């Protein structure tokens, strides 16, 4: 896929003191390599390409990379971000692809007490989240949907260096009947080749629940509680990683 995207002039704001949207690693990555989070992108396209048109919720949507991936597959997107400037750029990028009609944007901060907006759908096809340590609040806000298994796939950033409690956060998702895998960032060649050949099949190489069943008295099957101590070791294995979840059979 090829997207015409507006990105921030990250060079201009390099070294700027304090928060600035222009200090943007995503824009830098897109400018230098033409892609952001390559293995996550492959997974996202693998689950969205063949699915019937549905709803994707992009939380921490930023300037719209995942939103554009979803709309390129014909899906509607609810794009949520706390920064109005990011959402302005996202809308420009959606319009440049002629998919603005598929995108609804909301300027919301995901914090304590946040609740998922009322969604008039039977199912959320994909919930993606990259909100710098606030995933616990996100999972709390969508927990009713998770318990009813109305979210087919989730892609969550797990950042134990930014906030505590990620073992509990991902454990709550898995307790609702979801399997999990850690998406590789810099994998060895055989893992990279597997993801390039078939991302969904390659998930088995980084599946999280298999080792948990070896060390825990309870597994991650629906209705059973995942061992939080064992899960904590998996969470702490990387300072920051993306976790992919899918519904158990």
């Amino acid at each position: 896929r090829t997207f015409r995207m507006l990105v921030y002039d990250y060079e201009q704001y390099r070294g700027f003191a304090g928060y600035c949207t222009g200090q943007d690693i995503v824009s830098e990555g897109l400018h230098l390599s033409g892609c952001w989070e390559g293995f996550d992108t492959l997974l996202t396209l693998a689950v969205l390409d063949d699915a019937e048109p549905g709803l994707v919720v992009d939380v921490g949507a930023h300037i719209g990379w995942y939103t554009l991936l979803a709309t390129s597959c014909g899906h509607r997107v609810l794009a949520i971000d706390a920064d109005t400037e990011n959402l302005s750029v996202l809308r420009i990028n959606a319009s440049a692809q002629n998919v603005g009609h598929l995108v609804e944007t909301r300027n919301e901060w995901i914090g304590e007490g946040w609740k998922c907006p009322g969604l008039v759908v039977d199912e959320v096809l994909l919930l993606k989240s990259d909100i710098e340590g606030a995933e616990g609040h996100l999972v709390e806000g969508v927990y009713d949907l998770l318990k009813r298994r109305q979210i087919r796939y989730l892609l969550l950033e797990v950042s134990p260096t930014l906030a505590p409690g990620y073992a509990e956060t991902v454990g709550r998702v898995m307790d609702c009947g979801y399997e999990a895998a850690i998406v590789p960032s810099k994998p060895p060649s055989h893992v990279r080749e597997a993801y390039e050949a078939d991302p969904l099949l390659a998930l088995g190489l980084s599946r999280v629940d298999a080792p948990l069943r070896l060390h825990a008295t309870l597994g991650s099957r629906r209705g059973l509680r995942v061992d939080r101590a064992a899960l904590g070791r998996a969470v702490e294995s990387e300072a920051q990683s993306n976790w992919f979840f899918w519904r158990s059979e």
Side-chain angles (χ1 to χ4, degrees), residues 108-144:
E108 295 184 8
W109 177 269
I110 312 300
E112 187 174 355
W114 178 84
K115 290 295 182 183
C116 181
L119 303 175
V120 189
V121 291
D122 294 327
E123 178 184 72
V124 173
L125 180 56
L126 171 69
L127 170 63
K128 167 261 173 184
S129 174
D130 181 352
I131 46 178
E132 306 300 319
E135 275 72 21
H137 298 307
L138 173 82
V139 168
E140 178 64 31
V142 301
Y143 197 61
D144 286 344

Side-chain angles (χ1 to χ4, degrees), residues 132-209:
E132 306 300 319
E135 275 72 21
H137 298 307
L138 173 82
V139 168
E140 178 64 31
V142 301
Y143 197 61
D144 286 344
L145 293 174
L146 289 170
K147 287 190 295 184
R148 295 193 297 266
R149 291 162 59 83
Q150 288 180 265
I151 303 175
R152 191 184 303 183
Y153 302 105
L154 298 91
L155 179 62
L156 304 183
E157 184 180 74
V158 171
S159 307
T161 58
L162 297 179
Y166 268 101
E168 180 62 24
T169 295
V170 300
R172 293 186 76 192
V173 176
M174 295 172 73
D175 285 346
C176 291
Y178 287 81
E179 309 288 352
I182 300 175
V183 184
S185 55
K186 297 179 181 179
S189 59
H190 74 283
V191 175
R192 183 173 63 252
E193 291 167 1
Y195 268 85
E196 290 171 351
D198 189 333
L200 295 177
L201 186 61
L203 282 173
L205 298 173
S206 52
R207 194 180 181 118
V208 171
D209 61 342

